Amino acid sequence: PGFEVRPARPEPITALVQGRRYSMYDYTPAQYATLIRLIAGLRRALPRIRLAVPRDPQGAVVQAVLPKEALGAWSGLLGHYHVSEHKQDPGPAFNWEQLLRGVKALEAPLAPAQER
C-alpha cells in the first residue's frame, strides 16, 4: 500500500557506457536500499569483497569492460558492463557513490571500535 515507483533523481541521466551514449532514469530509493543491504550482507559472508568500484586515473567510475588482467585481479564491486562489452547495465544513471556511502553507513555500527 502506498508504494510508488519514482526514480531517485527525477531527470534522465545521459552518459557514455561502452563508448555509446545511453539515457535512463535512475533506480528507485527502494532499489538502492535493497541493494545496499544485499551488498552489506554479502560482505559479511565474503569479507574479501572490497567496498570499491573500478575507477579511471581521474577517479571517475569506469563505465566499460575492464581489461582481462584488471578484471582477474579485481576484488571489489562490479557492474555487468565491467565484465562484458555487450552489456550496458547498471547504466549511466546508477549512482555508485550513493551505493558505496550507503553500504559504509550500514556497516559502520557493526565494525569493531578499532576499525572505525
Side-chain angles (χ1 to χ4, degrees):
F3 177 72
E4 292 185 23
V5 178
R6 299 262 187 254
R9 293 175 286 180
E11 69 284 345
I13 307 298
T14 301
L16 295 178
V17 176
Q18 304 291 16
R20 295 181 59 196
R21 186 162 301 285
Y22 289 94
S23 290
M24 68 177 281
Y25 283 96
D26 200 355
Y27 292 81
T28 68
Q31 287 173 305
Y32 281 116
T34 300
L35 185 56
I36 287 166
R37 288 191 306 273
L38 173 64
I39 291 172
L42 287 171
R43 284 176 34 87
R44 278 192 301 278
L46 304 166
R48 289 178 41 195
I49 297 174
R50 293 186 313 120
L51 188 55
V53 295
R55 296 187 183 271
D56 66 20
Q58 291 74 39
V61 176
V62 172
Q63 296 205 33
V65 68
L66 296 179
K68 194 172 192 173
E69 307 77 40
L71 183 60
W74 187 253
S75 62
L77 306 177
L78 295 169
H80 290 149
Y81 56 51
H82 293 126
V83 179
S84 172
E85 64 187 33
H86 303 291
K87 300 286 186 174
Q88 68 273 359
D89 53 311
F94 188 75
N95 192 331
W96 286 100
E97 304 309 330
Q98 177 183 339
L99 176 73
L100 296 171
R101 280 191 311 271
V103 174
K104 190 173 188 177
L106 190 62
E107 291 178 342
L110 304 175
Q114 67 270 16
E115 292 181 18
R116 288 189 212 156

